[in-house]
Amino acid sequence: QTTARYSAPIETEQARIDSVWQRRTESLMAVDEWVGTVLDLLDARGALGETYVVFASDNGFLLGEHRMPPERKTIIPYRESTQLPLYIRGPGIPAGGVRASLAATIDLAPTVLDWAGAPLPALVDGRSLAGVAADGDPTDWRSGVLVERWDINSALTYRSLIGDAFAFTRWEAPDFTEYYDHLADPFELVSRADALSGEDRENLQAAMLGLAGCAGAGCRTADRAVAVEPPVEPSTGAEFPIGRPFPNPTGGWVQIPVSSGVGSGLTVE
């Protein structure tokens, strides 16, 4: 569409969102250059081989997904907002690896303490990722993590239990439930909460409340109590894009998609 006032087509909402994404991507060039500068400096000082480097973030922003515009900066329990990459490199970490273990931001502090040889304070809820990064996925690891938000606007208050292949969310007001099977619906487009049996719903709710009420070492028991992952539909074979390619100035990275609440998959490049 054009008008006498404008010589160019009127920008559509989709085009506006594409423009926002492009500008944000361009701004990351400075981040990439900064990461390269830090690694080059460590290398020049002979310290790169004995330094752990972590590249992480806190949460993602939606760009039109789930009908959320770029201005909606609220962290909401959908994968575009909660699942992020985490890259780790350092001594004893093999290059080129990918891990599938669920990770969360609460794991960053115990990981650094583990590397430093410091004791883990009793108040820490998370798990160290040091062994996951160096040795691969353990057999006895968490089966779920909790993502939650409490807001003065109760419509934005929720708890979400995220497992290896599902997300179960309870919203505060109005009170309603969402359930997504990530094998059948990786982009979380259709909630299958109505398809859950009463027993499955109760078990998921109990596991969620267990993580919400735990503290310290108790959380490292509660996070293994998520035993319910009822697939609603068979897998479509679709793959969820964790993120766009991140250029690395040097090799030797391990990547774990992580976030304000959760991630899964750890890559070493």
Side-chain angles (χ1 to χ4, degrees), residues 87-175:
Y87 293 86
I88 302 176
R89 63 163 296 157
I93 299 179
V98 178
R99 309 290 184 259
S101 301
L102 284 169
T105 49
I106 58 173
D107 298 331
L108 296 179
T111 300
V112 173
L113 289 172
D114 195 355
W115 286 333
L120 188 67
L123 57 81
V124 173
D125 299 338
R127 295 170 173 268
S128 171
L129 300 174
V132 177
D135 304 323
D137 294 314
T139 56
D140 185 20
W141 191 251
R142 64 161 62 99
S143 55
V145 297
L146 177 71
V147 178
E148 57 185 348
R149 176 183 173 87
W150 297 99
D151 196 285
I152 191 171
N153 178 359
S154 59
L156 300 177
T157 296
Y158 64 82
R159 283 193 176 116
S160 186
L161 178 67
I162 301 177
D164 289 320
F166 75 91
F168 176 76
T169 303
R170 289 292 305 271
W171 293 85
E172 182 76 11
D175 181 12

Side-chain angles (χ1 to χ4, degrees), residues 1-10:
Q1 299 178 359
T2 59
T3 66
R5 179 176 298 180
Y6 300 103
S7 59
I10 297 175

